[in-house]
Every structure is written in C-alpha cells, then in structure tokens.
Amino acid sequence: MFCYQCEQTAAGTGCTKVGVCGKQPDVAALQDLLVYFQKGLAQVALAAREKGVYDASLGHFMARAIFSTLTNVDFDGARLIELIRETVSRRDALAAKVKAAGGSVPRGPATLAPAADQAGMIAQGEEHGIEKDPELNADIKSLKQTLIYGLKGVSAYADHAAILGQEDDEVYKFLQEALAATERLDLPLDKWVGMVLECGRINLRAMELLDAGNTGTYGHPVPTSVPLGAKAGKAIVISGHDLKDLQMLLEQTVGKGINIYTHGEMIPTHGYPELKKHPHFFGHFGTAWQNQQKEFGEFPGAILMTTNCLQRPRNEYMDNIFTTGLVAWPGAQHIAEKADGSKDFSPVIEKALAMPGYPADTDKGSVLVGFGRNTVMSVADKVIEAVKGGAIKHFFLVGGCDGAKPGRNYYTEFVEKAPKDTVILTLACGKFRFFDKQLGDIGGIPRLLDVGQCNDAYSAIQIAVALSKAFDCGVNDLPLSLILSWYEQKAVAILLTLLYLGIKNIRIGPSLPAFLTPNVLNVLVQNYNIMPITTPDQDLKAILG
C-alpha cells in the first residue's frame, strides 16, 4: 500500500505497511480501486452528457463513493466491494446508453472489468494506486493528488448537503470532469493549477448548499451553553457531523429516559433551535475524534458514529458502538438507511437501555457554541465600534482538524498567549485543544467564538467578507489572521477554497502535506504567502509586531 492523504502519514512521507488511521493494506487497495473505477464512471458520465443522456441519481452516488475513501470513514472491505460493484454496474449501464446514442467511451477505467473475488480486486487496486500513476512530471502528479483529495472533501460536503435535499449539478459535473481529467497525460502544469483552484470554488458552493440545508432545516445557530458534565440516567453519545442522524435519534428517544450527548464535531449542533428544543438533548462528552479510544471506554451508554472520524473500536466497547451512513468497521453493528432515507435506531436505543448509564449528575463546567454568521453579524455594529475604538486589535481564526501527532499543543499555547485585546474565532475539531478555556470578553463580546463544524468555514468566510465590506477594504487587509491545523481531506478542500478566494498569509500545521512537491509548495508561498507554523511566540510577534 501507499497512502499519504492525511497529515499523520507515516514518517511524514506515506503509509506503506498499515495506515496510521488503522487502514489495512487490503482496504487501502480496495479504496484505490474504487477511486479508479469512479474515474471510469466519470469518463462515461461526461460522454453521456455530450449525448444528452443524464442520470439524476448519479452525482450523489459518486459523491458518496468518493467520500467513502476519505480518511477515517469506511474500514470495511465488504462494503467497499459493494460500492465497486455498484460503480461498475452504473458505468456499464450508462455506457450502453452512450453507445446506443452513437457515442463512445475510452479504454481504461471506463472499460476495465472488476475481478471476480476480493483477492482479485485487491490485486487490481494495487495496480492502480498512487505509485502506479504513469505521469512522469512530479509536480503534475502532486497537483493531481491535491485535486483528488480536494474532491474527497467536496464529496463529503456534497453528500451531507444532498441528505438534506440540497444539490447542484454544477458540483457533480465538476466532480466528473476532475476525476476524468486525472486519467489524462496531456494537460500542462498551469491547467492543473487552474483545476485545483476551481476545486476550491466548487467546494465553496458545496459548503453553501450544506449551510442552506442545515440552517433551512434546523434554523440558524444561536449562542448556547453546553454542559460538559453528565446527567443521571441512560445515555447515548453521537459523533461525526450528520445533523439529520441526530434529529432522527432525538425524535426516536423521546420519552425513553435516555439523555443524548454529542462528541467531537457534533458539539455545535447544540446551537440549532430545532435540535436544542429537545429537553433530553443534554450536553457534550469527551473531546476530539483522536481521543475516542480512551473516552468511549469510559462512556456508560451506547455510541453512534455518523460520517467520518471513526477509529478502530476497542474490545471494551465494541459491543456498544454502532455505525451509520458511510462509516463502517468490520464487526461493528451498522444501522442501514431505508429507501425513504429514514433509519431505525432501535438497536442503539435498546443497547443504551441495557447499559448502566450515569448514576448521578456531575458538573464539569460548560462551553458556549452557536456563533455562526447570523449571530456574529447581529452584533456587527459593536464589533466594528470595538475595532475602531481600539478595544479589539486583531482577530485570529484558529481552527481545523485535530490529530494525535506531537506539535498540536501549539494551538493551545497560541490561544492562551493571544493578547487580551484579540478575539479567537474557531471551528472544526481543532478547537478541542482550547474549547473550554475561559478567555473572558471584550465589551460583552466573548473572546472565544465557536463558529461551528469544519463545513462552517463557509460561515466564517461570510463573516470575513461582511467585515471587509464594513471597513471598505479587502479581506487580506482586515486585522484577521488564519492559523489552521489540518488532518484529512475536508481540510484540503477548505484550504483550496481559501486560495481560490485569494486569502493570503495563512499559517498551517503541524506539518505541511506530504503530497505537495517543493515546486508546488513554492508556488503557494510565492502567490499566497502560505507558511508553516513556527512557535506561538514567534508567530504572534510576526503577526502583531
């Protein structure tokens, strides 16, 4: 195997024996094969578009399939094989329609027949991994992989949005065009740079769709205090990102005597009016995704994993953990989706009722969430006045993906050392390095503002754009600095969006992506002044003078 799509890749160069994420070589090969067949499906889909043949369900399926290969999502080879077979079935059915309409499809992934068994598919996957790309130019190969990883992030957000009824064929068409392009060997370097930036634009659209789905269904987040302790009684903890799964779980546990807790990226959901109205939606358990193996063993109830962020379940809680959606681990109980999109969480509920739950109330303090763009812009006049009056000297957006690699304490120290006349905006699970810090306020404006999940980078962008208009300047001229941590491919897609928007002077860490060649990195430095983090003291001095 060879995989270097995440920040924690082995030795900073690539996982070759087993994934740091827990991915085994056979699963890595099946994921590579699924991506390869998706490229073939993309080629056929484009040929079909040329002949006026269109399958309305194809785009969402492709997004789901690509999302399945994102880090910490699907570790189950059997489920990946199902996706491979459905990909080939859809490809061949669509190819027949293309040929009937007088068109043709290229040879390669658009015509390759899958092996008959799992061993054969694994061998095929090994023949179509990153190292087998025939592209000889290292920089183009780097940009191809950057594009593919950006597409994985786009696919994740597109899937989340589609689940809530928000779709745009522009997103799906680009997914198909970009996947098909990665099989070409005739495109010059500048075309690849353009396509990578276009991926950033499309990701902005995908996040916009998801924002519309979330806020249109559950209301705009409002400032909400979330308990970090426990309430006596039976318990279920839900992790991941999917708001619809949470909604269904809340509705199905009404009157059951079960309290619902969030974990990881689910903490911002406490701010949504249509979710927080449930009295048994109690509080937050634990911290970021990478701590779940220790934390879940201490949870006295059932565990539900949605979307990504899954680690290998330990034996002590293997019987208590459930997966749903695209998340899967061999042996873990999976809650399947019905044809109408509903899910029956009865097995999760029954497990929670059979477990001890919390024996007594505990108080571990609380944190504030719910500072999306509507909330922040509702006090924009106070923010602007505080900036003009000198009470607020600078804004820092400190967020992104958390992880276990040493060096991530940088973000905790940075926030702790940021001057008291600065405001910290944060989003995604990177905030768990400092989410419970009591930083006080500036004129009633909290110094620590939780904007939401990683996809709420869209909300943060809208805040920045609104402030730039209020101050009649460009975003890069605002007293705003981006200090980002990254781990997986959603973060890659968001970074591409920021670059597409022309945002400069981004600091990123704890290390730079292994899939970027020195030349590609140099382009980012020259055009965007993107830079690695150093130390909190040095970076604060460089930013604030």
Side-chain angles (χ1 to χ4, degrees):
M1 69 175 286
F2 181 81
C3 181
Y4 59 3
Q5 69 178 6
C6 84
E7 190 271 333
Q8 293 185 178
T9 194
T13 57
C15 295
T16 57
K17 295 182 179 179
V18 64
V20 171
C21 65
K23 180 168 60 178
Q24 297 298 311
D26 59 335
V27 170
L30 291 172
Q31 289 184 350
D32 286 344
L33 185 60
L34 177 56
V35 170
Y36 186 68
F37 277 127
Q38 282 286 313
K39 293 178 181 180
L41 179 55
Q43 291 174 329
V44 175
L46 293 179
R49 286 178 181 272
E50 291 180 359
K51 293 298 179 181
V53 178
Y54 182 70
D55 179 352
S57 70
L58 186 62
H60 187 199
F61 167 73
M62 292 184 69
R64 288 174 60 83
I66 294 297
F67 182 16
S68 294
T69 69
L70 187 144
T71 303
N72 292 95
V73 178
D74 192 346
F75 297 87
D76 190 337
R79 288 176 60 83
L80 290 169
I81 288 174
E82 289 179 8
L83 283 169
I84 289 169
R85 287 177 173 153
E86 183 173 355
T87 298
V88 173
S89 176
R90 284 175 173 266
R91 181 200 69 182
D92 292 348
L94 190 57
K97 293 180 180 179
V98 170
K99 292 174 183 176
S104 62
V105 297
R107 296 186 61 81
T111 55
L112 178 69
D117 57 16
Q118 180 168 330
M121 288 187 183
I122 291 170
Q124 284 181 315
E126 291 169 347
E127 284 300 310
H128 296 289
I130 298 167
E131 293 183 303
K132 299 301 175 72
D133 186 340
E135 177 62 63
L136 297 178
N137 186 304
D139 298 326
I140 289 179
K141 190 171 182 178
S142 172
L143 289 168
K144 277 187 180 183
Q145 291 305 127
T146 302
L147 178 60
I148 288 172
Y149 301 148
L151 292 175
K152 291 188 180 189
V154 171
S155 294
Y157 294 138
D159 176 51
H160 297 334
I163 287 171
L164 294 172
Q166 295 290 327
E167 296 182 84
D168 185 343
D169 187 55
E170 181 186 28
V171 175
Y172 298 146
K173 184 179 180 182
F174 178 76
L175 177 62
Q176 293 161 1
E177 290 173 342
L179 283 173
T182 61
E183 281 297 293
R184 295 180 61 173
L185 299 174
D186 61 336
L187 296 179
L189 190 68
D190 64 321
K191 292 293 185 182
W192 288 108
V193 172
M195 196 168 293
V196 165
L197 293 177
E198 179 67 0
C199 185
R201 185 185 75 82
I202 291 298
N203 185 61
L204 181 64
R205 177 59 179 147
M207 290 193 298
E208 181 183 29
L209 290 168
L210 179 53
D211 178 84
N214 284 338
T215 59
T217 306
Y218 306 109
H220 281 274
V222 296
T224 303
S225 179
V226 183
L228 299 178
K231 188 175 183 180
K234 305 295 185 179
I236 295 173
V237 64
I238 181 170
S239 190
H241 302 76
D242 197 292
L243 272 62
K244 188 173 182 180
D245 284 335
L246 173 58
Q247 175 194 12
M248 289 187 284
L249 181 66
L250 287 168
E251 292 172 349
Q252 292 177 35
T253 50
V254 170
K256 303 280 186 183
I258 301 173
N259 295 312
I260 306 300
Y261 299 78
T262 53
H263 175 268
E265 282 265 58
M266 280 297 215
I267 190 172
T269 60
H270 288 275
Y272 286 90
E274 288 301 308
L275 298 175
K276 65 179 293 184
K277 70 182 182 182
H278 293 277
H280 63 298
F281 188 25
F282 177 68
H284 186 75
F285 169 81
T287 52
W289 67 272
Q290 78 275 4
N291 300 319
Q292 67 187 254
Q293 290 179 324
K294 175 182 181 296
E295 294 173 348
F296 285 174
E298 300 170 351
F299 188 72
I303 305 157
L304 178 62
M305 297 298 300
T306 74
T307 64
N308 53 317
C309 304
L310 175 66
Q311 287 185 305
R312 179 188 183 96
R314 289 186 172 176
N315 291 335
E316 60 192 291
Y317 63 84
M318 184 66 171
D319 289 342
N320 310 331
I321 193 167
F322 298 79
T323 60
T324 192
L326 299 176
V327 183
W329 189 280
Q333 301 177 72
H334 190 80
I335 305 298
E337 181 181 35
K338 297 180 181 179
D340 63 357
S342 66
K343 296 178 183 179
D344 181 2
F345 289 116
S346 295
V348 185
I349 295 169
E350 291 169 3
K351 174 59 70 173
L353 292 173
M355 294 186 67
Y358 285 105
D361 294 353
T362 59
D363 184 359
K364 295 183 179 180
S366 62
V367 295
L368 277 174
V369 301
F371 292 95
R373 68 182 185 282
N374 269 27
T375 296
V376 174
M377 297 320 298
S378 71
V379 294
D381 55 338
K382 294 182 180 179
V383 173
I384 294 168
E385 182 181 344
V387 173
K388 289 182 176 179
I392 296 177
K393 295 290 177 57
H394 207 84
F395 296 90
F396 294 106
L397 175 58
V398 185
C401 309
D402 203 3
K405 182 184 283 188
R408 289 181 179 267
N409 284 338
Y410 164 95
Y411 299 94
T412 309
E413 295 178 25
F414 188 98
V415 168
E416 290 175 337
K417 292 180 175 181
K420 295 187 183 300
D421 56 5
T422 62
V423 172
I424 310 295
L425 298 166
T426 190
L427 50 79
C429 61
K431 63 174 163 271
F432 286 107
R433 294 282 169 172
F434 49 81
F435 80 126
D436 55 352
K437 301 292 181 184
Q438 301 302 312
L439 301 183
D441 66 89
I442 300 175
I445 301 169
R447 284 193 58 226
L448 181 60
L449 301 176
D450 185 350
V451 179
Q453 296 182 339
C454 58
N455 53 278
D456 289 312
Y458 174 79
S459 202
I461 289 168
Q462 297 307 310
I463 292 171
V465 169
L467 288 175
S468 71
K469 290 180 180 178
F471 286 106
D472 192 24
C473 66
V475 172
N476 289 315
D477 299 316
L478 287 171
L480 168 68
S481 298
L482 277 62
I483 317 295
L484 306 181
S485 56
W486 82 283
Y487 175 74
E488 40 89 317
Q489 297 79 64
K490 289 181 180 178
V492 174
I494 291 172
L495 178 60
L496 297 184
T497 294
L498 296 174
L499 298 181
Y500 159 73
L501 292 171
I503 307 297
K504 296 183 178 181
N505 307 315
I506 300 170
R507 285 172 167 80
I508 188 170
S511 62
L512 297 176
F515 49 83
L516 295 181
T517 61
N519 287 338
V520 171
L521 181 59
N522 189 50
V523 169
L524 297 179
V525 172
Q526 289 183 344
N527 291 295
Y528 303 98
N529 197 32
I530 194 168
M531 64 194 85
I533 58 173
T534 58
T535 69
D537 290 326
Q538 290 177 14
D539 288 345
L540 281 167
K541 183 178 180 180
I543 294 168
L544 300 175

